[in-house]
Amino acid sequence: MASRRRMLLKVIILGDSGVGKTSLMNQYVNHKFSNQYKATIGADFLTKEVQFEDRLFTLQIWDTAGQERFQSLGVAFYRGADCCVLVYDVNVLKSFENLNHWREEFLIQASPSDPENFPFVVLGNKVDVDGGNSRVISKKKAKAWCASKGNIPYFETSAKEGFNVEAAFQCIAKNALKNEPEEEMYLPDTIDMGGGGRQQRSTGCEC
Amino acid sequence: MPPSFIDPLSSPPSLPPLKSDHVSRSSENRRFGDLRGLRWRINLGVLSSSTNIDDLRRVTADSRRRYARLRRRLLVEPHITKDGSCSPPDLVMDNPLSQNPDSTWSHFFRNAELERMVDQDLSRLYPEHGTYFQTPGCQGMLRRILLLWCLRHPECGYRQGMHELIAPLIYVLQVDLEHLSKVRKLYEDLFLDRLDGLLCQKNDLCYSFDLRKSQDLVEDETGSHGNSMKVSSFDELDPEIQTIVLLSDAYGAEGELGVVLSEKFVEHDAYCMFDALMSHGSVATTDFFSSSPIAGSLSGLPPVIEASTALYHLLSLVDSSLHSHLQDLGVEPQYFSLRWLRILFGREFSLDNLLIIWDEIFASDNNRSYIHLVEHLSQLWL
């Protein structure tokens, strides 16, 4: 088992500046929160080993700057993604309104083979702020939007308090895995996939 | 695997020995050895490299005047009309609900949105240096400089990372001022004598303002008595100290506006440095924030991608195995170099080391700067 290269799952986090993308990623991977995160410039990466149905995977999380224009990172950045996480701040209306823009731009850049069924997960972050009194987007409204876009799973999170972060990323990993081509999912354990799995995937999505 | 080597360096690497041409060119720039901010202002082209102190003062005053004008013109208050008079505005167009993009209120709201974006990043600027960069005074200067620059360059606007380009500029100006105040303490007689001498020559009847001022200076002297150095004549002084004294004489060309190191004009000076760095200094950084190709580009790629590609090409020459390893992993150069180029390595080094890197970048030739940058970077890499 140890000698076998684990399957990589590529997850991309998008959303407006300051909604907490970096904080969510760090809370999930390192179980830490800091008030001292700087604005992300370009992109950042973290990985985490996850276990799902007795198999180990490497979740590769690509964190982006909220203001980053898609052209700057190049299409390869988005292609081959297995799941896209859209984050907004429940206290900032505009960050919610922009979800549609982020989703559409992602589909253009990543051009997945089946855009209708590509796995997205939406996170409404910062539910802890002011005890929830300053939120401007209701859970109902967010869920309605997610339903209208092909039943996107929705989670309310607090990266600061670690609330619901683990559950959200479990769902992200599960959906990323579902997006993998079937034949790769059921490979017997003894076959060494080498780097092939990764490559195959990225070409598979470029058609 | 993600490119783990891009993680911010916990222990920043020491700089490799510099190439000989670099050193010789840099030594010309050691004129203001103890005044990094002043050296940068010269290297960035804000001040002339003239040896004449009066020239320096004139250019200093001019650049500050330009900033003051810009600030007056662009930072609008919606309830004050442009000419400052109180004539009633055209309420059909100028009201808060107006959809007219030219209305004063519309400008005001656009500025407010810009301000919100800028503030969001400023609150996250060097949080570990909280004591200085997070002080209200510094934040206010940074905010005004960024707002003004962005209003002045609407085609570029605010891009994340610009705030981290200004911060070190303000910082070095502040360090210069601290150095000045140290020198002033050490040689206070000299600063006093010059002022007093000039005061007496100028006018026998001292104005009350001047009286109060010299009273303060006398008190200062008694306060720090014992620390100051007694110097019999100005000419005996170290030339560096002489320059600092001359640069600080408020009675020279252009008066107070021309005092080269001045706490009152840190904001003005920082703006000019930032503008030069972004637009026409040794590194025209604005291009690295643009997502569209520059005019005449053969590749049709944004400049930051073009530069990243050049960097990868260079890497393939100096370390082909690392280059092919990264390529095998599907790592494109902009995944890590975008940040390097946009904020000039600000995240890869501690602030102290960053200043040394910037010394070299700003001192490099205008048209060869990019190549130097990349060469230097590659040296660091290896």
Side-chain angles (χ1 to χ4, degrees):
Chain A
M1 181 95 177
S3 65
R4 193 167 58 84
R5 179 79 73 94
R6 288 173 191 143
M7 191 192 273
L8 274 175
L9 297 173
K10 179 173 173 180
V11 171
I12 291 178
I13 308 185
L14 300 174
D16 279 8
S17 171
V19 297
K21 297 177 291 297
T22 305
S23 295
L24 281 164
M25 179 172 83
N26 274 291
Q27 178 60 263
Y28 174 60
V29 175
N30 301 318
H31 303 290
K32 276 186 197 146
F33 175 80
S34 159
N35 277 318
Q36 305 209 328
Y37 288 125
K38 300 175 173 188
T40 306
I41 310 286
D44 259 323
F45 311 82
L46 279 182
T47 59
K48 177 155 172 146
E49 305 298 323
V50 289
Q51 195 171 358
F52 192 74
E53 289 173 359
D54 292 334
R55 284 197 58 194
L56 278 172
F57 301 91
T58 301
L59 203 60
Q60 190 181 65
I61 307 171
W62 300 44
D63 176 27
T64 55
Q67 207 198 26
E68 198 48 67
R69 289 296 173 274
F70 282 86
Q71 300 90 321
S72 308
L73 290 164
V75 285
F77 187 94
Y78 303 94
R79 293 206 174 150
D82 297 302
C83 181
C84 176
V85 184
L86 304 173
V87 187
Y88 79 98
D89 177 346
V90 297
N91 309 288
V92 180
L93 177 64
K94 191 140 195 207
S95 71
F96 177 73
E97 291 172 344
N98 281 341
L99 287 181
N100 206 36
H101 155 81
W102 287 114
R103 181 179 168 275
E104 284 176 2
E105 268 301 311
F106 174 81
L107 289 174
I108 292 168
Q109 297 294 327
S111 51
S113 51
D114 185 7
E116 292 298 309
N117 295 306
F118 184 86
F120 287 95
V121 172
V122 170
L123 308 185
N125 193 36
K126 302 197 188 182
V127 290
D128 60 281
V129 173
D130 198 14
N133 290 324
S134 61
R135 70 180 292 164
V136 290
I137 303 297
S138 68
K139 195 174 194 169
K140 194 175 157 202
K141 190 171 180 185
K143 281 195 155 175
W145 185 82
C146 290
S148 75
K149 298 294 170 189
N151 281 322
I152 301 179
Y154 175 66
F155 290 86
E156 303 219 316
T157 56
S158 161
K160 186 176 182 180
E161 293 175 356
F163 171 72
N164 228 5
V165 176
E166 186 68 35
F169 274 90
Q170 286 276 339
C171 174
I172 291 161
K174 198 177 81 188
N175 283 294
L177 196 58
K178 263 195 228 155
N179 191 46
E180 288 293 303
E182 294 254 322
E183 64 271 27
E184 273 190 68
M185 265 185 77
Y186 297 108
L187 278 178
D189 274 358
T190 45
I191 286 184
D192 183 2
M193 297 181 359
R198 175 81 184 77
Q199 301 231 312
Q200 211 177 321
R201 236 165 0 99
S202 47
T203 47
C205 291
E206 272 163 2
C207 53
Chain B
M1 275 291 289
S4 57
F5 59 87
I6 64 157
D7 283 351
L9 306 164
S10 46
S11 55
S14 56
L15 282 173
L18 297 165
K19 283 185 172 175
S20 56
D21 67 319
H22 238 113
V23 173
S24 61
R25 219 163 7 80
S26 300
S27 60
E28 291 166 22
N29 287 303
R30 293 292 173 248
R31 196 169 125 223
F32 300 109
D34 296 327
L35 300 170
R36 177 178 263 140
L38 183 54
R39 220 165 58 224
W40 285 9
R41 283 154 81 188
I42 293 170
N43 288 342
L44 285 167
V46 175
L47 300 183
S48 64
S49 54
S50 159
T51 46
N52 183 326
I53 299 274
D54 275 349
D55 284 351
L56 277 182
R57 288 168 178 290
R58 271 192 202 98
V59 184
T60 299
D62 284 345
S63 67
R64 288 170 182 168
R65 233 175 248 126
R66 272 197 300 276
Y67 176 73
R69 262 202 302 271
L70 192 70
R71 201 167 60 174
R72 262 198 303 276
R73 187 161 62 88
L74 290 180
L75 287 188
V76 275
E77 284 285 335
H79 8 264
I80 300 170
T81 49
K82 275 176 194 136
D83 53 5
S85 69
C86 293
S87 60
D90 174 6
L91 287 178
V92 177
M93 185 181 116
D94 263 339
N95 68 73
L97 298 177
S98 168
Q99 298 285 311
N100 188 325
D102 290 327
S103 82
T104 319
W105 280 96
S106 171
H107 281 287
F108 177 73
F109 288 129
R110 268 204 302 278
N111 290 7
E113 169 63 16
L114 179 66
E115 207 166 329
R116 196 194 54 75
M117 261 198 311
V118 166
D119 278 345
Q120 188 167 56
D121 285 350
L122 286 182
S123 69
R124 300 187 279 178
L125 174 74
Y126 284 109
E128 69 278 13
H129 283 262
T131 46
Y132 179 62
F133 292 112
Q134 292 298 325
T135 55
C138 183
Q139 289 267 311
M141 284 196 283
L142 290 164
R143 179 182 305 115
R144 281 188 298 276
I145 294 171
L146 279 169
L147 288 177
L148 283 171
W149 193 88
C150 297
L151 292 173
R152 179 83 183 71
H153 299 88
E155 73 293 346
C156 182
Y158 176 69
R159 295 266 141 260
Q160 288 186 308
M162 288 179 180
H163 64 308
E164 290 189 30
L165 283 174
I166 303 194
L169 302 178
I170 288 222
Y171 181 77
V172 295
L173 290 172
Q174 207 64 48
V175 173
D176 276 9
L177 282 173
E178 272 162 37
H179 184 69
L180 169 70
S181 102
K182 257 189 226 145
V183 172
R184 201 188 276 273
K185 272 218 174 79
L186 270 177
Y187 300 98
E188 57 191 2
D189 285 354
L190 216 67
F191 282 87
L192 266 179
D193 281 350
R194 288 189 62 79
L195 276 178
D196 286 351
L198 284 160
L199 277 176
C200 295
Q201 281 167 24
K202 243 188 144 126
N203 201 336
D204 289 338
L205 302 161
C206 289
Y207 295 106
S208 58
F209 172 73
D210 290 331
L211 258 176
R212 207 178 57 233
K213 201 170 177 183
S214 40
Q215 197 65 40
D216 286 348
L217 290 168
V218 171
E219 276 165 17
D220 271 1
E221 188 186 28
T222 34
S224 61
H225 189 74
N227 293 329
S228 76
M229 314 262 271
K230 303 289 171 203
V231 187
S232 52
S233 104
F234 181 69
D235 302 325
E236 274 177 27
L237 279 178
D238 178 297
E240 287 274 332
I241 306 293
Q242 283 186 18
T243 313
I244 292 177
V245 174
L246 288 171
L247 290 172
S248 310
D249 179 6
Y251 294 91
E254 301 283 355
E256 195 188 17
L257 203 61
V259 172
V260 179
L261 307 173
S262 165
E263 188 159 14
K264 205 169 166 182
F265 298 111
V266 167
E267 183 178 328
H268 303 59
D269 296 340
Y271 178 90
C272 298
M273 291 166 87
F274 179 67
D275 188 42
L277 172 62
M278 291 303 282
S279 324
H280 43 75
S282 58
V283 197
T285 318
T286 312
D287 290 344
F288 292 148
F289 288 94
S290 160
S291 56
S292 46
I294 44 171
S297 156
L298 290 177
S299 64
L301 294 168
V304 73
I305 304 285
E306 242 177 29
S308 300
T309 309
L311 196 138
Y312 236 19
H313 175 70
L314 198 78
L315 180 66
S316 74
L317 300 178
V318 292
D319 191 338
S320 61
S321 58
L322 177 58
H323 176 255
S324 49
H325 177 65
L326 291 174
Q327 277 203 317
D328 287 348
L329 293 174
V331 175
E332 299 207 354
Q334 67 271 21
Y335 298 173
F336 52 88
S337 63
L338 194 97
R339 185 170 77 194
W340 292 0
L341 295 167
R342 278 196 188 156
I343 57 173
L344 297 177
F345 312 108
R347 291 277 174 93
E348 326 310 319
F349 299 94
S350 67
L351 186 62
D352 284 349
N353 286 336
L354 181 69
L355 302 183
I356 301 171
I357 304 269
W358 283 20
D359 280 342
E360 293 307 319
I361 294 176
F362 296 161
S364 59
D365 272 351
N366 274 346
N367 39 12
R368 293 196 309 157
S369 65
Y370 177 61
I371 300 298
H372 268 125
L373 202 95
V374 173
E375 272 178 9
H376 203 76
L377 166 65
S378 311
Q379 284 178 331
L380 287 170
W381 235 354
L382 304 170

